[in-house]
Amino acid sequence: MKKNKSIDWKNYDPNDFYDELIAAKGKPRRAATAITDYLGNLGSEEIQARQQAAELAILEMGISFTIYSEGENIDRAWPFDIIPRVISLREWETIEQGLAQRLTALNMFINDIYNDQNIVKDKVIPKYVFANSKNFREQCRGFTPPLGVWAHICGSDLVRDKDGKVYVLEDNLRVPSGVSYMLENRQLTKRVFPELFDNTSILPVDDYTNQLFDMLASISPRPQDHPRIAVLTPGIFNSAYFEHSFLAQRMGAELVEGADLVVGEDDCVYMRTVEGLERVDVIYRRIDDDFLDPEVFRADSTLGVPGLMRAWRNGKVGLANAPGAGVADDKVIYAFVPDMIRYYLDEEPIIPNVPTYMCVNKQDQEYVLEHLDELVVKPANESGGYGMLVGPHSTKKQRTEFARLIKKNPRNYIAQPTLSLSVAPTLCDEGLAPRHLDLRPFVLQGVRTYVTAGGLTRVAMRKGSLVVNSSQGGGSKDTWIVDEEN
């Protein structure tokens, strides 16, 4: 950006991609008019100064995430771009309905799979799909948690293709993370552009922790009493520890590690305090199933609580998300979610899936192996952007290796077309430039369903990159849902 030069949107070129703020050269989308007009009246030095102010605030506020590198834990400042992503309220209302529909069907599926398995008996989903899932837990068979809800907190990743259509890329149902950064991004943007929040109808997001507390309270085994809620963390070296402590503080909940809890002879869960044992009603656990209870899962786990599964199954403590919910957090099962919606709800999916090839099917596998240079190949149960092949950006050596992996364990791989992910204006070293992004809204389900107004927008900061994960160089933006009618 040249000194003192204001942004001329006629010179901003998103190429052939759908841009979230700009409809055509020099023409902002209606919902984005306030931010584009405002930025257009600021000099480049002022915009850079505000970006630097946001980065300083991140350091002062201690907003960080942890990455693992060469056996070490490295704390990094949260990467944030001050130019928000904007979505109109009219469009968002449809997305919100689609996300609520999707989580309702997923919870019905999980409950069915651990009980009658009617969806298998009716031949909607083949049994091998979940029977070979590493997140299917035999220990959960024959049980229905309170309200029939297994996945109380879901983070579904949404992407927009070249034609403007929104798709669900994946559902995160085990221990979805990122919501604290969504909330902090909003606070940062209010610091940077306070006047815009006075003059633009931007839907708030700061009620999330109240909504989370109420949802967790709804699964308390003692509904008449004010519940004691604990956030169970693996500890300070976990990559999401900032979020664990953030949410506990905002909810007024206890932040505990496994060693802080004990299951009594009455199967109730108690927290060790200086005044003795105090009962815990609900645990928001941020620990994977494998480490949750050494009596049931991994015997060598020091992160969990012996007897916790017994307490949960006996109705003495609420757990969110419930053990076993990860059976639906599988990229092979993802392919069947539209069928689940039709089967359980008798409705058509409001938000479509990305077309998916399942390598376990011979015909799909043959197509994938022939088109590895065009497709994105993902392992069924990895997260964070790890272990996948982005065909158009891959080498011949990488494609040969993935062909071997697919043939060795076809159930573990799916493939999808490489989408032309939408872009948004982003401050980069070369000035203002389009960068690809996705969106992770958060959905809560208890007595009722709540969807955040927007979510965590993640942006690929490297030119041409489609990898938005912060652990691999991605950044983030605030997400504005703007009511154009006000």
Side-chain angles (χ1 to χ4, degrees):
M1 244 185 235
K2 291 180 182 178
K3 285 188 176 182
N4 301 322
K5 187 175 180 181
S6 298
I7 294 174
D8 183 352
W9 292 107
K10 290 178 183 176
N11 295 330
Y12 171 79
D13 185 9
N15 298 312
D16 293 329
F17 300 109
Y18 182 101
D19 193 283
E20 299 288 341
L21 268 61
I22 305 299
K25 273 195 175 184
K27 294 183 179 179
R29 300 190 186 280
R30 185 181 170 195
T33 301
I35 184 65
T36 53
D37 286 354
Y38 184 81
L39 291 172
N41 290 323
L42 291 180
S44 60
E45 283 189 341
E46 177 63 22
I47 293 173
Q48 290 291 354
R50 296 197 188 199
Q51 176 68 39
Q52 289 165 7
E55 291 169 359
L56 182 61
I58 286 168
L59 294 174
E60 290 174 346
M61 295 162 70
I63 307 171
S64 64
F65 70 103
T66 305
I67 61 171
Y68 306 114
S69 178
E70 297 179 354
E72 292 184 325
N73 300 312
I74 302 171
D75 277 342
R76 293 271 174 87
W78 179 244
F80 175 70
D81 181 73
I82 62 171
I83 301 177
R85 181 225 195 108
V86 181
I87 301 172
S88 73
L89 176 59
R90 183 176 300 175
E91 180 185 22
W92 184 254
E93 287 172 339
T94 301
I95 294 172
E96 184 179 36
Q97 292 168 11
L99 291 168
Q101 176 197 58
R102 193 173 180 94
L103 185 55
T104 299
L106 282 164
N107 271 310
M108 294 175 78
F109 164 74
I110 300 167
N111 201 53
D112 186 15
I113 285 304
Y114 287 122
N115 289 281
D116 297 333
Q117 299 187 357
N118 289 318
I119 199 166
V120 176
K121 293 172 184 173
D122 291 335
K123 299 183 178 178
V124 177
I125 294 180
K127 188 168 184 175
Y128 75 80
V129 168
F130 72 87
N132 294 325
S133 169
K134 75 173 189 179
N135 291 310
F136 178 79
R137 307 295 180 186
E138 280 290 340
Q139 301 90 336
C140 296
R141 291 287 296 269
F143 182 70
T144 297
L147 308 173
V149 175
W150 295 75
H152 308 84
I153 303 117
C154 174
S156 290
D157 293 342
L158 306 181
V159 292
R160 194 194 296 275
D161 200 8
K162 198 177 199 174
D163 60 0
K165 194 170 188 176
V166 172
Y167 294 88
V168 177
L169 186 64
E170 63 181 52
D171 303 292
N172 298 282
L173 300 169
R174 284 175 286 178
V175 281
S177 63
V179 74
S180 61
Y181 300 112
M182 174 195 81
L183 297 171
E184 292 286 39
N185 283 355
R186 176 57 52 88
Q187 293 305 312
L188 290 166
T189 312
K190 282 182 174 180
R191 282 190 177 202
V192 174
F193 302 129
E195 52 274 60
L196 279 170
F197 285 85
D198 294 333
N199 304 320
T200 310
S201 184
I202 303 164
L203 268 61
V205 297
D206 51 10
D207 63 335
Y208 175 83
T209 48
N210 292 332
Q211 296 286 346
L212 177 61
F213 182 92
D214 290 347
M215 182 278 293
L216 293 170
S218 74
I219 61 171
S220 170
R222 298 189 293 176
Q224 305 307 318
D225 300 326
H226 184 77
R228 181 179 288 276
I229 295 172
V231 177
L232 177 59
T233 176
I236 60 172
F237 297 114
N238 184 265
S239 61
Y241 183 76
F242 170 84
E243 177 156 299
H244 305 164
S245 57
F246 175 94
L247 292 175
Q249 183 181 37
R250 291 293 180 93
M251 285 194 293
E254 307 289 345
L255 181 64
V256 300
E257 296 182 27
D260 299 322
L261 301 177
V262 61
V263 177
E265 292 182 2
D266 57 359
D267 288 340
C268 294
V269 179
Y270 295 91
M271 179 177 63
R272 306 177 200 272
T273 74
V274 293
E275 297 176 355
L277 298 178
E278 294 186 15
R279 185 172 173 184
V280 173
D281 298 300
V282 182
I283 297 172
Y284 176 21
R285 55 101 174 197
R286 298 297 296 257
I287 292 177
D288 282 336
D289 287 355
D290 282 341
F291 303 97
L292 200 54
D293 182 349
E295 288 184 4
V296 175
F297 300 117
R298 281 184 53 163
D300 62 344
S301 172
T302 58
L303 300 176
V305 185
L308 187 57
M309 280 290 287
R310 183 175 71 250
W312 174 66
R313 286 194 64 119
N314 287 335
K316 298 299 180 72
V317 70
L319 282 178
N321 284 348
V327 68
D329 190 337
D330 180 306
K331 293 176 180 66
V332 174
I333 285 175
Y334 155 91
F336 291 94
V337 175
D339 295 325
M340 294 177 201
I341 293 170
R342 297 183 188 102
Y343 179 76
Y344 293 116
L345 304 178
D346 195 24
E347 298 171 0
E348 282 300 309
I350 296 171
I351 311 175
N353 271 18
V354 176
T356 302
Y357 301 97
M358 292 185 292
C359 294
V360 72
N361 293 342
K362 186 178 179 182
Q363 191 173 354
D364 282 7
Q365 184 185 140
E366 289 175 355
Y367 179 85
V368 170
L369 292 173
E370 290 172 6
H371 297 83
L372 280 174
D373 60 332
E374 303 169 18
L375 301 169
V376 176
V377 181
K378 303 176 182 178
N381 293 291
E382 289 291 335
S383 60
Y386 292 104
M388 70 179 191
L389 177 82
V390 181
H393 298 165
S394 65
T395 64
K396 186 175 181 181
K397 182 180 178 181
Q398 289 170 328
R399 292 193 294 273
T400 300
E401 174 61 11
F402 264 79
R404 185 188 69 79
L405 291 170
I406 289 168
K407 290 173 185 175
K408 182 181 177 182
N409 186 6
R411 163 61 179 82
N412 193 46
Y413 290 92
I414 60 103
Q416 296 168 331
T418 306
L419 299 181
S420 298
L421 297 190
S422 64
V423 297
T426 304
L427 290 177
C428 307
D429 290 340
E430 65 266 37
L432 195 68
R435 290 293 184 264
H436 295 291
L437 36 71
D438 76 356
L439 176 64
R440 178 175 291 182
F442 296 88
V443 189
L444 304 177
Q445 198 158 84
V447 173
R448 61 188 183 87
T449 303
Y450 165 85
V451 182
T452 54
L456 177 64
T457 288
R458 303 181 301 175
V459 55
M461 298 302 291
R462 298 189 187 102
K463 185 176 182 179
S465 173
L466 301 176
V467 180
V468 299
N469 308 83
S470 55
S471 57
Q472 298 192 57
S476 70
K477 291 173 173 283
D478 192 13
T479 308
W480 291 6
I481 306 301
V482 173
D483 184 355
E484 301 162 274
E485 306 306 320
N486 286 335

